[in-house]
Amino acid sequence: MPSVMRMAAAYHVLAFVAAATALTPPSNELVAGTSLAGKNLECAYLASRDGWGASDFHRCVDDCGSTLVVCETQRGLTFGGFNPLGYRSTDDYGGTSNAFIFYEDGEGVARKSRVLGSGDGCVYDLAKGGPQFGASDLIVGRPKAATMGGFTGPDTEDTISAQGDLRTATSSPGSSYERDPSWPASAIASGKLRDVSCWVNADLARSTAPAEFSLPKPPSWWPF
């Protein structure tokens, strides 16, 4: 009987842990109008589960296609951004008119800031850093060392020792994204983050091409 009681107690503990760690996918409103709308979303990266380093982030999300980044502060503020180009650790930046950054107001409504102009340079993909939207609009896990080579290709420096910590974030919209007077820049930069999650289309296999582009399938006779 004692063993049965212990098993029952262990079951209840596991059930509690599972409930506590259950992930709620982003709302339909948040991904509306994006390439993730109506898709089967999967949490490819969760900092508290997979690690807080930039290398952990890229190990989980690189080549997964369009990515929605959702961050939560210790005080419960939710913010993040949508990168339709995906991540590949290219140490380069890309342009798109479909990216956005967001935060949730006191009523839980997502307030989005859209890309300004053509969106050139609105998404950075640094191997030593976490998600970065614009030069300073929203940076999660800023690299500890400058990226070398002027964004001409992957950096040859030690990525691990110089990698950013995704527990930290800074934000100053206005260069690549619309400036919202109510944007909670100070709250984002205050203290450590509680968690960071990245959501992708679960039905897409990892690809070697950016999310917004697809290479044509080779003919049946290729290769020779």
Side-chain angles (χ1 to χ4, degrees):
M1 183 64 69
S3 60
V4 174
M5 294 178 64
R6 284 195 296 269
M7 291 178 61
Y11 172 81
H12 286 298
V13 169
L14 290 174
F16 174 79
V17 171
T21 57
L23 295 174
T24 302
S27 66
N28 293 332
E29 291 74 18
L30 186 56
V31 297
T34 74
S35 54
L36 295 180
K39 300 298 191 297
N40 177 26
L41 298 185
E42 172 188 21
C43 182
Y45 170 74
L46 183 66
S48 59
R49 176 191 67 198
D50 302 311
W52 288 93
S55 61
D56 300 311
F57 163 74
H58 284 286
R59 170 175 50 82
C60 294
V61 305
D62 277 9
D63 302 318
C64 285
S66 300
T67 305
L68 179 71
V69 180
V70 181
C71 308
E72 184 182 0
T73 69
Q74 295 288 351
R75 296 187 176 182
L77 172 67
T78 298
F79 67 93
F82 173 65
N83 173 8
L85 301 178
Y87 295 95
R88 299 174 65 196
S89 295
T90 59
D91 280 332
D92 206 343
Y93 55 80
T96 173
S97 59
N98 298 322
F100 63 81
I101 57 178
F102 75 94
Y103 80 95
E104 290 187 358
D105 62 20
E107 297 180 354
V109 177
R111 301 190 56 166
K112 301 178 182 179
S113 290
R114 302 287 181 177
V115 168
L116 294 171
S118 64
D120 185 37
C122 70
V123 175
Y124 282 62
D125 181 23
L126 306 182
K128 293 182 293 190
Q132 178 169 342
F133 297 85
S136 59
D137 298 75
L138 178 60
I139 305 175
V140 182
R142 182 190 298 272
K144 295 179 181 178
T147 299
M148 305 297 290
F151 306 108
T152 57
D155 202 333
T156 57
E157 287 188 0
D158 180 9
T159 301
I160 300 299
S161 62
Q163 69 174 322
D165 183 348
L166 272 69
R167 293 182 181 87
T168 62
T170 59
S171 183
S172 181
S175 60
S176 295
Y177 294 84
E178 298 169 333
R179 186 188 301 275
D180 182 345
S182 62
W183 184 265
S186 58
I188 289 174
S190 176
K192 304 288 187 180
L193 299 183
R194 176 179 296 166
D195 220 337
V196 179
S197 60
C198 293
W199 299 83
V200 301
N201 183 353
D203 298 325
L204 284 181
R206 283 181 178 255
S207 167
T208 56
E212 284 197 339
F213 303 94
S214 60
L215 298 175
K217 292 183 179 180
S220 58
W221 45 264
W222 182 270
F224 295 111

